[in-house]
Amino acid sequence: MASSPCGNSNFDSGLEIKTRSVEQTLIPLVSQITTLINHKDKPKKSERTQAAIHRVGQAVSVAVGRFVTVGEAIATENQELKDEMGQACFEARRAGDAIAQLTDVGSALPSQQDGRVTVFSDRTGMVKAARLLLSSVTKVLVLADRIVIKQIITSRNKVLVTLDHLERVSTFQEFVQIFSQFGNEMVEFAHLTGDRQNDLKDEKKKARMAAARAVLEKCTMMLLTASKTCLRHPDCDSARINKDAVFHRMRCALEQVIEIVTEARSCGENKILPASIYNGIKDFKSSVECLRENLYSSSPQSMGSQLEALVERTEDFTDSAYTSHEQRQAILGLCQLARQDTQQLVHAWAEAQSVHAKEATEDMEVAILKTCQSISDLRRELHKVAVVRASDLLKVHGEQLPLRALKAAGAEGNLEAVAEYSRTLTEQKEQLVETCRLLCHVSGTEPLEITCIHAEETFHVIGPQIISAAQTLALHPSSKIAKENLEVFCEAWESQLCDMALLLREIIDVFEGRRGDKRSYLSLPRPGKLSANLKTAKAVKLDAEEQTSMAKLGLELRLLSSDVDTEVEKWEEQEHDIVRQSQSLASMAYNMYLFTRGEGLLKTTLDLFHQAEVLSEEGLQLCSSLRTFSTQLVDEEKSVVMTEMEKMVALCQQLQMGAKTPVQGKTATFQKVDSSIQTTRGILAVVLSLLPFCNKLTRKYKSERSSLGSPQDWRERQDASTPVKEEGALNNKNSNGFGVKPLEQHMTGLNLLESK
């Protein structure tokens, strides 16, 4: 009976729960109802048991009453849902009253005599009431969720109308006026879609939403400069091509967001993703391993076809002009080995079937193990080739030589040089597009596959846009706006390279089994705030230019936090105070980055400033740990650590003072946000410079201690006037003794923000 309340038989089949907020709202109700249904069915009930049942039943009834009041308020504000919502609320109230009546046993001790119907005498009635209650409450929640979707659609429609106006403007004055409105509408749309993205349960939809929002974020600034360039040079074909491409991309991204939230039939998710080698390997291994339990679960022909389809996909690697001869031979050799092992498996399989074996024979078991091993070796080799290719490309393109050359040639009005460097950039673009395709093959998860496809499309689109912007500048070398436009597109290219670096790290983490859980933000509407909830959710709204400026800073913060995470992973002593505090700083900085995208737990500028205070305090704690660490070093090493530590102390104090200083007005608030993020970036840069140096010293002295075979700690080689207290060692041990991860510690600290 424990599963009765959640049984699907009494639920409307259309009530699929797609968001975490609806799911989390239902959990306490399911728990209480399960308590009522699963009470011990004893002949005699103690007064204590009856009182407990009575309390739970009344609590459910009161909670349902409040819930229904909220639902009715939402129905009043949304006439198109009034009838459906009203009916669902009526059913919920009726079920709540029934449960209250069935659990009214506190004063019914002689229930056997008075004939009263209670949960003890009518268990079936309780189950029916529970199912009705869960069904009706779920329906209310799903209907409320439609309002969130309606808000996103309404916001998108406003953006589209303004976008059409922007495309048709003919004067600067008109453009500035409309773009200001467009910026505010885009900020509103960004916050609504950010909340929705975090609330979605389906990871593929979340990845697609993130990709669409990234396009909109980057294109907003491109749209500004491309439109201004077109207005300044109306007869320039390259400027018009550049502008048209931005408008087209924005409309496609807006449409993709709506397809995701409404689950339209044309939704890209319904289109089959390109067949990846990772999925092919996973399916093939699954078919092979199933033979252990069922010799007839597949056929030799289908298994052979699976393997050949998989091998065919490796041609994206072997046919590439950028794959070395050694890599190509290694891949081909492993493909051939997989064929041979599969053939041996088929042979052993046929023999087992010929003797009517009921399970895999010993020969089959050996063949299964060899086939799985060879296919795993193939996957490992392909992963290595893709990762090495991507790493090498990122190193080469990190210097941005073609972009610098294009900017210089455009500023000089040298069309021939622009054409030459455009060919170089096009070649780089093709390399990056192909590399993204290879990464897609080895990504390891469908969300990462979607991110790889997004990266591939972005490089494919931005490359020609940079070239058209450079051509415009070459035709008008004295034009400041044409120069600014080219700069914006080059920054978008650089930003995508940074995104690709992060994507590469995620793919490596998945392959190596290191993937952390993400916290989610829940976003159900509240009565009375359905149209105004956006204004109250953000202490200050930023216009498009400010949002773009902050997003760029945030991206730098994200890269630094990832670099810090990478460095701390290199430490052998993962429970070292320096490691723990550095991870905590990186985690908080990452939350500040999410704020710049309108995502994550920091929902208002006040939240951001509070986070900055907490970060500064953690930074000062790290400085304290570094000071203790420096007492164990020789003079030259100590000087390096102390110099960097003093920089961090100054930055932490600056961040703390800035976060606590009150400001008024939009401009002042934006400047405070900008300053907080910049100072945080400075703190992480110092941490990043210290981590490898301190790790090197730790390894060095550990090695010396080991080689000397001395029982004394390496720290005791230093000045005897600096003793190490046993009590301090115990305190340090206790601080990490429970094995709590720094990220979890930090997220616990953020509960204050969630409870606001």
Side-chain angles (χ1 to χ4, degrees):
M1 297 300 291
S3 61
S4 296
C6 302
N8 294 328
S9 59
N10 287 64
F11 276 88
D12 183 338
S13 60
L15 296 182
E16 182 187 353
I17 299 173
K18 300 181 176 68
T19 58
R20 298 185 191 280
S21 50
V22 172
E23 185 178 67
Q24 294 298 316
T25 304
L26 286 171
I27 287 174
L29 183 60
V30 172
S31 176
Q32 288 179 318
I33 290 176
T34 303
T35 300
L36 292 176
I37 293 176
N38 289 348
H39 68 83
K40 293 181 180 178
D41 195 11
K42 296 179 181 178
K44 293 184 179 181
K45 304 294 185 298
S46 67
E47 291 185 28
R48 185 176 177 183
T49 299
Q50 295 193 32
I53 292 291
H54 178 73
R55 282 197 303 272
V56 174
Q58 295 305 307
V60 169
S61 179
V62 170
V64 169
R66 290 174 182 163
F67 179 82
V68 167
T69 302
V70 173
E72 289 170 344
I74 291 175
T76 302
E77 295 173 10
N78 296 269
Q79 291 298 313
E80 70 275 15
L81 296 178
K82 187 173 182 180
D83 292 341
E84 281 186 275
M85 185 71 87
Q87 181 62 30
C89 288
F90 171 76
E91 290 176 358
R93 194 185 294 277
R94 186 165 60 119
D97 291 343
I99 288 173
Q101 183 179 352
L102 287 166
T103 56
D104 186 16
V105 295
S107 60
L109 295 179
S111 57
Q112 300 286 341
Q113 299 172 8
D114 62 14
R116 181 183 300 180
V117 177
T118 69
V119 64
F120 303 119
S121 59
D122 188 10
R123 193 182 184 91
T124 303
M126 174 58 75
V127 172
K128 287 181 179 178
R131 285 178 171 169
L132 176 62
L133 179 60
L134 285 175
S135 178
S136 54
V137 166
T138 303
K139 188 166 186 178
V140 170
L141 289 169
V142 171
L143 288 171
D145 192 58
R146 283 193 207 168
I147 297 162
V148 177
I149 296 172
K150 174 188 168 186
Q151 287 177 314
I152 294 173
I153 294 172
T154 301
S155 179
R156 187 283 306 257
N157 291 341
K158 287 196 296 183
V159 169
L160 274 180
V161 169
T162 311
L163 196 65
D164 290 340
H165 291 165
L166 270 178
E167 196 169 20
R168 295 195 299 268
V169 296
S170 56
T171 66
F172 269 103
Q173 184 178 1
E174 186 183 6
F175 175 79
V176 169
Q177 183 180 1
I178 297 176
F179 190 83
S180 177
Q181 176 188 343
F182 174 76
N184 289 330
E185 291 170 354
M186 280 300 296
V187 170
E188 177 181 313
F189 187 71
H191 289 309
L192 280 172
T193 53
D195 287 348
R196 188 66 178 180
Q197 176 186 323
N198 288 326
D199 200 13
L200 288 170
K201 289 173 62 181
D202 189 308
E203 291 298 327
K204 288 190 291 181
K205 289 178 184 174
K206 288 179 79 167
R208 292 188 62 247
M209 180 76 89
R213 293 181 70 247
V215 170
L216 293 171
E217 178 186 320
K218 292 174 182 176
C219 280
T220 299
M221 193 61 185
M222 296 180 197
L223 184 143
L224 173 63
T225 56
S227 297
K228 285 164 66 178
T229 304
C230 220
L231 286 170
R232 181 63 57 86
H233 309 290
D235 299 326
C236 182
D237 287 340
S238 57
R240 180 183 51 76
I241 291 170
N242 187 259
K243 171 191 163 186
D244 290 347
V246 176
F247 275 89
H248 174 72
R249 197 156 184 241
M250 285 203 78
R251 287 192 176 97
C252 289
L254 287 167
E255 188 60 31
Q256 182 174 334
V257 169
I258 299 305
E259 287 175 354
I260 295 166
V261 299
T262 61
E263 299 187 311
R265 287 293 178 185
S266 58
C267 180
E269 183 201 342
N270 293 331
K271 300 172 186 175
I272 299 173
L273 289 172
S276 71
I277 292 173
Y278 168 79
N279 283 326
I281 286 176
K282 184 172 68 174
D283 293 342
F284 179 74
K285 284 182 71 175
S286 176
S287 298
V288 170
E289 290 171 343
C290 278
L291 293 177
R292 288 192 174 104
E293 298 178 2
N294 184 356
L295 296 182
Y296 304 94
S297 61
S298 182
S299 68
Q301 292 79 12
S302 64
M303 190 169 290
S305 300
Q306 263 188 300
L307 179 62
E308 288 309 313
L310 176 59
V311 169
E312 187 178 341
R313 290 174 210 162
T314 64
E315 291 175 2
D316 283 346
F317 288 78
T318 55
D319 291 354
S320 170
Y322 307 108
T323 300
S324 68
H325 176 70
E326 292 77 11
Q327 291 172 334
R328 185 176 292 108
Q329 290 303 113
I331 293 169
L332 292 173
L334 287 168
C335 287
Q336 187 57 33
L337 180 61
R339 284 193 181 103
Q340 291 172 3
D341 289 339
T342 303
Q343 192 57 45
Q344 288 178 5
L345 171 60
V346 168
H347 180 69
W349 185 9
E351 285 188 349
Q353 286 182 328
S354 68
V355 296
H356 306 290
K358 294 182 179 180
E359 58 184 22
T361 61
E362 188 175 337
D363 287 346
M364 267 194 75
E365 184 61 38
V366 171
I368 288 171
L369 290 173
K370 287 179 66 178
T371 303
C372 288
Q373 183 59 50
S374 59
I375 211 71
S376 294
D377 291 343
L378 176 60
R379 180 199 170 196
R380 190 175 295 106
E381 180 64 26
L382 294 172
H383 173 84
K384 184 175 76 172
V385 170
V387 166
V388 169
R389 168 88 67 83
S391 300
D392 291 345
L393 269 182
L394 288 169
K395 286 176 186 175
V396 171
H397 298 337
E399 299 175 3
Q400 308 298 337
L401 296 179
L403 297 185
R404 292 179 193 171
L406 272 173
K407 291 176 192 176
E412 294 168 0
N414 190 338
L415 282 168
E416 289 184 4
V418 166
E420 179 185 346
Y421 293 122
S422 293
R423 286 191 289 272
T424 304
L425 183 66
T426 300
E427 183 180 348
Q428 283 195 356
K429 178 206 74 176
E430 290 170 354
Q431 287 180 333
L432 288 165
V433 165
E434 183 180 280
T435 303
C436 288
R437 199 171 298 134
L438 300 189
L439 287 176
C440 183
H441 274 305
V442 300
S443 57
T445 69
E446 286 187 323
L448 287 179
E449 282 184 41
I450 291 167
T451 308
C452 289
I453 293 168
H454 165 68
E456 179 185 339
E457 291 171 349
T458 301
F459 284 122
H460 187 75
V461 171
I462 293 183
Q465 288 180 312
I466 291 174
I467 292 170
S468 61
Q471 290 169 344
T472 303
L473 179 58
L475 291 169
H476 308 278
S478 60
S479 172
K480 290 183 180 179
I481 182 57
K483 183 178 180 182
E484 180 189 0
N485 187 47
L486 176 57
E487 189 70 40
V488 165
F489 280 93
C490 289
E491 285 178 1
W493 178 273
E494 293 166 11
S495 172
Q496 188 56 49
L497 284 174
C498 293
D499 286 347
M500 184 175 173
L502 289 166
L503 172 61
L504 177 61
R505 286 174 187 168
E506 284 195 60
I507 290 171
I508 293 171
D509 284 348
V510 168
F511 183 80
E512 296 178 354
R514 301 191 313 262
R515 198 163 189 213
D517 295 326
K518 297 179 181 178
R519 292 290 293 266
S520 59
Y521 174 74
L522 311 179
S523 61
L524 275 178
R526 299 170 187 165
K529 297 185 180 180
L530 299 179
S531 58
N533 62 345
L534 213 55
K535 295 178 182 177
T536 58
K538 225 31 182 154
V540 171
K541 294 173 81 173
L542 305 176
D543 61 32
E545 195 165 351
E546 290 169 336
Q547 189 85 357
T548 303
S549 172
M550 194 166 66
K552 184 182 176 185
L553 275 175
L555 184 63
E556 294 171 1
L557 206 57
R558 178 176 72 165
L559 290 170
L560 280 169
S561 66
S562 295
D563 288 338
V564 169
D565 286 336
T566 301
E567 284 300 327
V568 297
E569 284 175 3
K570 297 175 183 177
W571 282 61
E572 292 178 0
E573 299 179 42
Q574 284 295 303
E575 294 301 319
H576 198 292
D577 280 350
I578 291 176
V579 170
R580 179 174 54 80
Q581 289 157 349
S582 297
Q583 283 180 317
S584 183
L585 288 173
S587 175
M588 286 187 259
Y590 186 77
N591 274 281
M592 294 173 78
Y593 152 71
L594 290 177
F595 171 83
T596 67
R597 293 178 61 90
E599 301 172 7
L601 294 171
L602 310 180
K603 307 311 292 182
T604 70
T605 49
L606 295 178
D607 291 343
L608 179 76
F609 300 146
H610 174 72
Q611 180 74 104
E613 281 189 62
V614 176
L615 188 145
S616 65
E617 291 167 4
E618 186 72 12
L620 291 171
Q621 287 292 323
L622 176 57
C623 291
S624 177
S625 299
L626 287 167
R627 186 177 284 108
T628 302
F629 181 78
S630 68
T631 61
Q632 308 156 4
L633 308 176
V634 296
D635 291 343
E636 186 177 346
E637 295 164 346
K638 181 176 180 179
S639 175
V640 173
V641 173
M642 290 299 290
T643 300
E644 293 300 307
M645 187 205 71
E646 286 167 5
K647 289 182 190 175
M648 197 191 307
V649 169
L651 286 167
C652 288
Q653 290 173 344
Q654 178 185 335
L655 181 62
Q656 203 168 50
M657 291 285 291
K660 290 180 178 179
T661 303
V663 294
Q664 291 183 342
K666 180 181 174 183
T667 303
T669 302
F670 172 70
Q671 289 173 349
K672 183 175 175 179
V673 169
D674 183 79
S675 173
S676 297
I677 294 176
Q678 291 216 43
T679 308
T680 302
R681 182 183 61 178
I683 291 170
L684 281 198
V686 175
V687 172
L688 190 58
S689 68
L690 278 168
L691 278 171
F693 183 68
C694 292
N695 189 20
K696 180 182 176 183
L697 292 176
T698 304
R699 288 172 180 267
K700 171 187 171 184
Y701 287 119
K702 185 177 179 181
S703 174
E704 288 180 3
R705 181 181 59 185
S706 176
S707 62
L708 289 171
S710 170
Q712 293 182 317
D713 193 282
W714 61 268
R715 294 173 294 183
E716 295 175 4
R717 297 188 305 105
Q718 308 307 319
D719 188 356
S721 63
T722 314
V724 180
K725 295 184 180 179
E726 190 69 18
E727 182 184 353
L730 288 172
N731 287 339
N732 285 339
K733 182 178 179 182
N734 289 336
S735 67
N736 296 320
F738 294 104
V740 180
K741 296 294 182 184
L743 180 59
E744 292 171 347
Q745 292 175 340
H746 170 55
M747 298 310 276
T748 302
L750 283 181
N751 285 339
L752 282 172
L753 298 177
E754 291 183 292
S755 64
K756 285 187 178 181

